[in-house]
Every structure is written in structure tokens, then in C-alpha cells.
Amino acid sequence: MCMDTKVFLSNKYKVSYKENEAWRFSPVYIGLLADGTQNNIKLPQNIYKIYDGLGQGTKSIKTYFSSFEFIDAVFVSVELPEKTKSITVKPKKYSDIVRFTENKAVFYVKDTAYLSIEPDGDIFGSIHIFCNKKQKYVMRADNIIEFTDGIYTEINCEYIHRNSHGVPVIDSVPDNTIIYIGKDAVVNAAIELIGVKNVKILGTGMLSLIDRCNGAEEGFRAEKYWGAFRYWALPNIYIRSGCRNIEIDGVLLNCEFRGIVIRNSEKISLKNIKIFTSTENADGINCYNTCDLTVDNCYIQSADDCFCMYNSCDSIPTLFDGENDKIGAICKNVEVKNCVMSSNARPIVLGGHATGETEPRCVIEDICIHDCEIVNTPYRIFGNTREYSMYWSGFLRILSQSEQIVRKLVFKDIYINVTKGHNGKIFHLEVRDSNNASYTESKGFMIEDIQFINITVNGSTEALLPSLIRCRDAKNSNDNPSIKNILFENIKCRGRSFDKNSIVKEGPVSNIIFK
């Protein structure tokens, strides 16, 4: 660990790789995850004075990662902690290629591969290995900002400055710009894109704000810390105010708060991104009013939702996009694929926050999430009430609040590994009443035309609750709220078929089909 350069290294693991007969060592960095206990912990006063994002938080625990580039093929060797008896490899597609021998995990890959190795079942203190096959980027643009190697801060880099709230940021990015972060670069700043077009953020280096987390001042020598962020914290990448044609490929985000936040923008491509978040309300990818979005081959270890999509600002007022927000907000034409996710809350949330307008209503539609694996679900695994889980959890969660319409969603070919102790639900679909809407939201309106196809759930499923489809009652209202046209096809939980007995239905719910 090197305090003066804001880089936090660990010797818990040793990672080396061989390409063309030459061995190289890859540094092992410290990241943070929520520790699996609970959210909404009241902060001690001395912590709250600094980390006052919500006045509450989580507890964070250290995890570890190593990232490198290779050209053709690579042999990887990971030296594990002494007396390691067994390993678990995730996602499952890599479990057969990793051999455990002589206290080492070894494997060989020819293509980009992102995986974790858990010694003796430790899902938090695991080592995450990012093998990045080298890409040849086309570096043609009006403006090029290049970070080649080394550690970049506001002290030694002209592009980074402290904003009015003390956050290190790169925010004067013009149209037609490439920001390149090389494999050996660590940039201690957020990137804020404001109303720009044709911007690319490329390279397999790191954007890191972990030096702003609790524990950084003592080099993360302990195991656990308070997971809380400063009130004006920024996501590592913030895309807002009408951005268009934005491409992000390859970067690693070691976060103080959220990973990527998108507001009122379109034509966005997120590819090969690695994200670690640990604090209260720290989503991996958080979007509202976003159209034409592709998320491909991303690796998201998140304290809150891994991927979520809304129509208005959520509980973080400092991320409100002001005059750019729209009354008739729309999210549409979204594809999320080939992603690996782990969440201390809910992996996927679509719908929820909206404006409350009815002419026109907010809409979320035409979204397909497929070929993804949820590797861990450590949400409140050390203590939770079933009542709490009944209405506030769910691996695949669809909400309608504030007069919102959510429709034409497809979830296909998704594998979920349930962490021991988790007692939430697989599916949660709900049109909420004003009485139980989250935060300051009002009653929802409609969820329709949803398909769940080829969903496999394994792991420690013993404590799971029945899934929930709940629609507010239409009594005492002049509208017709509904949930309708929901397909469950080839859903398996520990080898058993998912049927009508696996779901609790409440209110005006119709045409639920099981195949």
C-alpha cells in the first residue's frame, strides 16, 4: 500500500501470468464490498461528520483484484493464502478450467476472461482476476486525453481538478474526444460527461476513488469499515444532460460511491467494464431517461443494485439533472448481456422512480437482459426478517410507481447462485400503492408483457420466499392499475419447475402463464 500515491496494494494473493514463455507479476489491489449484513445502519457521529451521504450506511469488507492485458493466450497462476483447502470459481463457465494444486490456482485462457477465486468459500475476501485480451483501439478524434502509466491526481495531472465540493473530477470534456486509460494507469478522479457527443473512454486501466472511502486513511489494514459516502460524492463515471454516442470499453472502476450513472442521454455502449462498490445506495450501473443502451460483458460487484433503470431521480438529490429532466420520461431499447453480477441488494431493478405525471406517463419498455450470471446474493444473509424480504427484495425486480408504465421486458438465459442465508425472492413484480411506495413516490400504474425464459436458480435456496406479483387495489381510484401478460417459461429452482404455487399473487393480476 502506498498512501502518498493513493494506491492500495495487498500481498494476500500473488498473481503471475505467462505469455510467450515470459512470466510477469500482476499487482493485487484492494477493493471494497458490502459485507452481507444489512443496509441502513446508523452511522456513528464521528463517521457521519465526514461520510454524510444519507446519514446511514453499510459495513464494508475488503476484496482483492488483479488485472492485466495479453495478446494471444495466457497461463495464469494465483498463489492463495496458506492452508487453503479448497476453492470455488465463479462464474460457473470457468469452474472447469481452473486447477487447484499446491496452494495455487492455475488456468489458461485465449480470450478475455473475468472470474473470481474464493478460498474455502470466502465470497468477500476472494481474488478477482481480469484477463483482458489486448485490443487495437482506433485513436482518431478531435481531442485525445491519454493516461499511459502511473498514478494521476489533481497534483500531477492538468485534466483533473477539485470541483466546488472537493471531488476530484475530469469534467471539461468536449465533443469528439477519446479518453484513453492504459493498463498501467490509475486515475484518481471521476469523469463527468455533460451534454457531449461522440466521446469514448477506452483502455483497461483504473478509475479509482477508493482513497475517499472510510479506511483509506489507515491503508485498509483492518478487515471492515463503514460503508458511507460524502454528500456530494460522484459516481466514477457520470453521463448526463443530453449526452449522445458515448462508448466506454475496458476500464476498471474502484468506487467511493456508484460506478456509472446515466441521466437523460442516448446511444450509450458499456463494454468490458469492471465495477466494485461498497456503500449505501452504491449501484453498479444506474440510469434514468436513457435510450439505446447496450451493456455487454461487464463484471459488477455491487453494494446495491447491479443494474437499475428509472424515469426520474432516485434518493440522491445531488445527482438530479435539473432542467434536463423531462415530464414524459422514457427508457427504451436496452440490452444487457453476458454480464457477471453480485449484489448486496438486488441484482436487477427495472422501474420504480418516476415523475407522477399522467399526460404523458413515464414509460420503461423494450428491454432485454440475457445470458447473465448472478454469482452471489449476500443481501442481509446474517440477519433479516421475512416480512422485510416479502416486499423489499427480489433478484429480478420490476416496479411501477408514480403513475409509471413498465412493459415489454425479456429476461432470458440467466443463472442465479443463491448465497447461504439469503431469504429473499426470485421474482418481484409490483405496482405499488402510495402507502408503500419507496421514498417520496406515489402510486404506480401498470406492468405488462413481461417474459422470463430459461432462468436457473441454484445454491442455498432453502430460505427463499415465494416470489411476489402484487398490484395495488383499484378501489377508491379512477384508474385501472394492472399487472398482466406475464410468462414464466422453463424456470428451474434446484432442478424443480417453477409453477403457480411458487408465487403469491395479490390484487388485479391477470394472464400469468407457466410453460
Side-chain angles (χ1 to χ4, degrees):
M1 187 279 298
C2 184
M3 286 295 295
D4 57 335
T5 56
K6 300 183 180 181
V7 171
F8 302 91
L9 300 172
S10 172
N11 60 5
K12 181 175 180 177
Y13 299 92
K14 291 183 175 62
V15 177
S16 54
Y17 61 99
K18 183 172 68 172
E19 185 177 22
N20 298 326
E21 303 304 318
W23 280 98
R24 299 179 178 87
F25 286 99
S26 181
V28 175
Y29 293 90
I30 293 173
L32 295 174
L33 302 175
D35 75 344
T37 51
Q38 63 184 54
N39 298 334
N40 308 313
I41 300 172
K42 185 175 176 59
L43 299 178
Q45 188 59 35
N46 64 316
I47 298 295
Y48 179 73
K49 287 180 180 178
I50 302 173
Y51 304 96
D52 59 353
L54 290 173
Q56 56 195 21
T58 62
K59 288 185 179 178
S60 297
I61 192 167
K62 288 188 291 188
T63 195
Y64 307 88
F65 62 87
S66 188
S67 180
F68 57 85
E69 285 185 355
F70 66 98
I71 297 174
D72 294 316
V74 67
F75 183 82
V76 183
S77 175
V78 182
E79 187 174 324
L80 302 165
E82 289 186 14
K83 300 181 180 179
T84 297
K85 296 179 180 179
S86 65
I87 62 171
T88 304
V89 178
K90 296 173 183 173
K92 63 183 179 67
K93 70 178 180 179
Y94 295 120
S95 59
D96 291 337
I97 72 166
V98 180
R99 291 189 299 113
F100 177 46
T101 177
E102 298 179 350
N103 218 56
K104 291 182 180 180
V106 296
F107 61 94
Y108 174 85
V109 292
K110 294 183 178 180
D111 294 307
T112 290
Y114 305 150
L115 64 148
S116 66
I117 299 171
E118 301 170 1
D120 298 325
D122 183 0
I123 66 174
F124 300 109
S126 54
I127 177 73
H128 308 263
I129 309 293
F130 304 125
C131 311
N132 303 283
K133 191 160 188 177
K134 187 174 179 60
Q135 297 189 49
K136 293 182 179 180
Y137 297 114
V138 177
M139 300 290 285
R140 289 197 297 268
D142 292 347
N143 310 284
I144 296 178
I145 300 173
E146 191 168 8
F147 303 96
T148 52
D149 56 71
I151 297 94
Y152 296 84
T153 71
E154 73 275 13
I155 296 175
N156 64 8
C157 178
E158 62 179 310
Y159 299 112
I160 303 172
H161 72 98
R162 296 268 174 173
N163 67 15
S164 58
H165 306 290
V167 183
V169 64
I170 300 168
D171 61 2
S172 297
V173 180
D175 293 348
N176 307 310
T177 294
I178 291 176
I179 301 173
Y180 176 73
I181 305 174
K183 63 182 178 63
D184 297 317
V186 179
V187 180
N188 290 120
I191 296 177
E192 186 172 12
L193 304 180
I194 308 170
V196 295
K197 299 176 179 60
N198 307 321
V199 171
K200 297 181 180 181
I201 303 173
L202 308 175
T204 59
M206 188 192 318
L207 280 173
S208 178
L209 292 173
I210 194 176
D211 59 289
R212 292 170 57 83
C213 292
N214 178 230
E217 65 281 354
E218 52 105 62
F220 299 110
R221 288 191 299 270
E223 287 299 311
K224 292 190 178 183
Y225 300 93
W226 294 103
F229 57 89
R230 292 165 175 80
Y231 185 72
W232 288 98
L234 285 176
N236 280 41
I237 299 177
Y238 190 14
I239 302 167
R240 66 180 182 90
S241 306
C243 288
R244 183 181 175 90
N245 294 331
I246 308 299
E247 178 183 345
I248 305 173
D249 188 345
V251 293
L252 191 154
L253 309 180
N254 202 9
C255 305
E256 171 195 9
F257 174 37
R258 291 178 175 170
I260 299 174
V261 169
I262 306 172
R263 301 282 185 260
N264 303 298
S265 297
E266 61 182 355
K267 294 194 175 180
I268 313 292
S269 172
L270 309 178
K271 189 175 181 181
N272 302 319
I273 299 167
K274 290 75 70 174
I275 299 174
F276 292 92
T277 79
S278 64
T279 67
E280 179 88 0
N281 226 287
D283 301 323
I285 300 173
N286 175 296
C287 329
Y288 78 70
N289 296 359
T290 301
C291 296
D292 303 311
L293 167 68
T294 300
V295 181
D296 185 9
N297 198 41
C298 293
Y299 187 95
I300 305 169
Q301 299 277 324
S302 179
D304 209 319
D305 309 328
C306 292
F307 178 82
C308 56
M309 200 150 225
Y310 310 132
N311 291 122
S312 73
C313 192
D314 57 11
S315 57
I316 310 299
T318 56
L319 296 182
F320 181 59
D321 200 21
E323 61 185 19
N324 296 287
D325 281 335
K326 302 171 185 177
I327 293 175
I330 295 177
C331 293
K332 66 183 301 183
N333 297 336
V334 176
E335 183 180 27
V336 179
K337 59 184 178 179
N338 306 317
C339 291
V340 176
M341 303 179 184
S342 175
S343 171
N344 196 53
R346 296 151 299 266
I348 298 169
V349 177
L350 300 179
H353 302 290
T355 65
E357 297 291 329
T358 58
E359 295 182 0
R361 294 184 189 275
C362 293
V363 177
I364 292 179
E365 64 183 355
D366 296 320
I367 297 175
C368 183
I369 299 177
H370 65 95
D371 295 287
C372 294
E373 181 167 341
I374 298 166
V375 293
N376 291 314
T377 58
Y379 181 53
R380 296 172 67 98
I381 58 175
F382 301 111
N384 195 356
T385 66
R386 293 178 72 84
E387 291 77 18
Y388 187 94
S389 292
M390 184 65 185
Y391 290 104
W392 291 92
S393 68
F395 303 139
L396 306 179
R397 183 181 184 189
I398 302 170
L399 294 182
S400 170
Q401 298 187 141
S402 297
E403 303 292 350
Q404 187 177 47
I405 297 173
V406 184
R407 63 191 177 198
K408 293 188 284 186
L409 313 181
V410 177
F411 300 82
K412 186 176 181 180
D413 298 319
I414 296 175
Y415 182 90
I416 301 172
N417 181 68
V418 182
T419 300
K420 184 177 181 180
H422 185 104
N423 65 351
K425 303 180 296 297
I426 301 172
F427 306 105
H428 179 186
L429 289 74
E430 185 173 4
V431 174
R432 285 188 166 160
D433 195 286
S434 295
N435 293 330
N436 75 328
S438 58
Y439 302 105
T440 58
E441 302 291 327
S442 60
K443 61 183 175 66
F445 181 59
M446 182 182 293
I447 296 173
E448 63 179 2
D449 301 328
I450 313 297
Q451 297 181 20
F452 300 100
I453 303 171
N454 300 338
I455 311 295
T456 301
V457 182
N458 278 320
S460 300
T461 62
E462 300 84 2
L464 287 183
L465 290 170
S467 291
L468 176 66
I469 302 180
R470 180 180 186 269
C471 184
R472 68 177 177 87
D473 203 315
K475 292 179 181 178
N476 303 316
S477 68
N478 57 5
D479 56 7
N480 293 294
S482 65
I483 297 178
K484 59 186 178 182
N485 305 334
I486 312 299
L487 171 66
F488 295 95
E489 181 176 339
N490 192 29
I491 313 299
K492 301 287 186 182
C493 183
R494 292 293 292 268
R496 299 182 64 179
S497 294
F498 188 88
D499 57 26
K500 64 181 181 180
N501 297 316
S502 307
I503 288 183
V504 173
K505 294 189 292 184
E506 300 178 9
V509 174
S510 63
N511 198 28
I512 310 302
I513 301 170
F514 298 89
K515 290 185 177 181

